[in-house]
Amino acid sequence: MDDGPEKNLDASNEPAADGLPMECRRAGVLIEKSLAGVATETELKELKAHLDACGDCREYGTDAESLSAMFRGIRLRYPDVPQPVVRKRRGRLIRFLPISLAAAASLLLAAGLCFYSFRPGAGNGENEQEEPVAKVGTPDSIAERLGVAIAVKRRDFDPLKPEMGGRVDGRVASMRTLGLLIVEVAPGSWADDAILKPGDRILEANGVVLQGNEGRRALSYMLKSLAPDSVMPLRIYRDGRTFTVEYRQPGND
Amino acid sequence: MSEEKEKLTDWAVGALNGDREALERLLAALRPRFVRFVLRHTGDADLAEEVAQETLVKIYEKMENVRDPKAFEGWAFQVASNSLRDYFRKSKRTEEMKERLADYVLTTNPMEDPAKWAAQNELTEMLGWTISRMDEKHRIVLQLHEIEGMDHAAIAEALDIPEGTVWSRLYYARKTLRDTLKKQSESAGGHRGGRRT
């Protein structure tokens, strides 16, 4: 794309809105090359000659260097290597994920899996029955008992399945504001019988508002500790309205 | 083409042809770069996650508009840049930002300790805000070069423009940024601290 050393370097294809003389615009371009460290000897000499003669460009050159330093500082501060995402929480800095987990998370995302998910039988209504398997950590009572896979963090959204909550009311939804998002429903599960669908959100369980990771843990705990044959109401959000379904804990039969 | 760039292009070819797995890999590779991109503009980790996610959804929805797989990366970052710009447009009161920016930029010299300068998240955010108000074609080269750290050859390829154009747009962008900052500091009124020397 670059024809030769001189040809493409003048800035005359840019709007000359600032009405600068051509030598100054050329100097500006040479300043860019010199800041990037790719200016040739000839170009540097040319630039120096112009800066010696032009006060405005000299001043601009200093400012350009400052701006370049600003950006370098920003790149240093947030380097390219995968870093733990550091979040502020009520004034304290908490390490969010160690590097290896973050890497694993992106691999899982790439493979199209979610945290706390399972793989229901392939397709809709095919006979292949796969055992539900909690993907991460200890067995998850939400997957086991309700038969749903939920997403609690934005990173669990699958952008390839926008119908599963990539957008709510035309906006990209914030998981932090609308409960626990159901991303999969296992055929034959309680959720399936209750006619819950991917995209539904569990807002409350037993009157307790569920939000983010804390909400997920709360729901999991409530499901584990609910007495046999007891009922727990779940408030569900779907398409702008809410309704309640009841989860009944299996009895001791 | 660098190795990573080749991979991205291969995946873009697949994705544009309906290969689901290629699309997943492409998005998975771009996602952390978007997070970092926004983080470098705002210093806000939560926001970075949100805008990155918004960008991925938009890319998925609009990607049929991309005809050349080699230009996918550049196009994707334009989407990210616009998402960021929209966020800044919606959320900040202009006057307040102008004043805060003028206050800081003049009295702090990034040349002395650039890393320390950037460690002040508020400054980073205000700079990001100023950049977001530039027009798109200049803003994107500035962001790809200074924020994302791409070299001029990679930018030329990503945006499908000649290398000379990259330099001239970079110059124009930097000049605009500097003139904007200068104007802001001057209009914040005969200023506390005086001019930086």
Side-chain angles (χ1 to χ4, degrees), chain A residues 145 221-232 247-252:
Chain A
R145 294 168 197 257
Y221 177 77
M222 284 191 277
L223 287 170
K224 279 200 190 99
S225 52
L226 186 64
D229 279 328
S230 296
V231 157
M232 180 165 72
Y247 169 75
R248 173 179 293 277
Q249 190 77 295
N252 285 331

Side-chain angles (χ1 to χ4, degrees), chain A residues 18-92:
Chain A
D18 39 17
L20 279 187
M22 210 183 85
E23 303 84 41
C24 293
R25 282 185 292 164
R26 170 144 175 85
V29 166
L30 291 180
I31 286 173
E32 288 303 319
K33 291 195 86 181
S34 105
L35 288 173
V38 301
T40 64
E41 284 290 328
T42 320
E43 287 168 341
L44 288 175
K45 281 204 188 102
E46 185 187 338
L47 178 59
K48 183 172 186 308
H50 179 81
L51 293 185
D52 284 342
C54 178
D56 284 346
C57 285
R58 231 178 3 253
E59 191 184 313
Y60 170 71
T62 310
D63 292 344
E65 254 191 312
S66 279
L67 285 174
S68 183
M70 281 182 189
F71 289 121
R72 186 166 58 247
I74 288 171
R75 291 194 304 275
L76 284 173
R77 170 125 174 89
Y78 305 104
D80 289 350
V81 299
Q83 283 279 325
V85 174
V86 178
R87 288 173 190 262
K88 253 189 221 167
R89 202 161 149 192
R90 295 186 211 105
R92 281 184 300 133

Side-chain angles (χ1 to χ4, degrees), chain A residues 80-157:
Chain A
D80 289 350
V81 299
Q83 283 279 325
V85 174
V86 178
R87 288 173 190 262
K88 253 189 221 167
R89 202 161 149 192
R90 295 186 211 105
R92 281 184 300 133
L93 287 173
I94 297 177
R95 296 242 142 197
F96 184 60
L97 283 177
I99 293 177
S100 55
L101 250 192
S106 8
L107 282 177
L108 282 180
L109 182 63
L113 304 174
C114 314
F115 288 115
Y116 314 113
S117 79
F118 58 83
R119 310 254 295 276
N124 305 311
E126 246 97 293
N127 263 336
E128 217 182 277
Q129 284 295 331
E130 270 190 48
E131 276 298 312
V133 172
K135 287 294 173 191
V136 174
T138 53
D140 175 41
S141 52
I142 298 176
E144 280 174 41
R145 294 168 197 257
L146 299 187
V148 297
I150 56 168
V152 295
K153 294 191 289 289
R154 291 183 67 78
R155 69 176 68 240
D156 292 341
F157 270 143

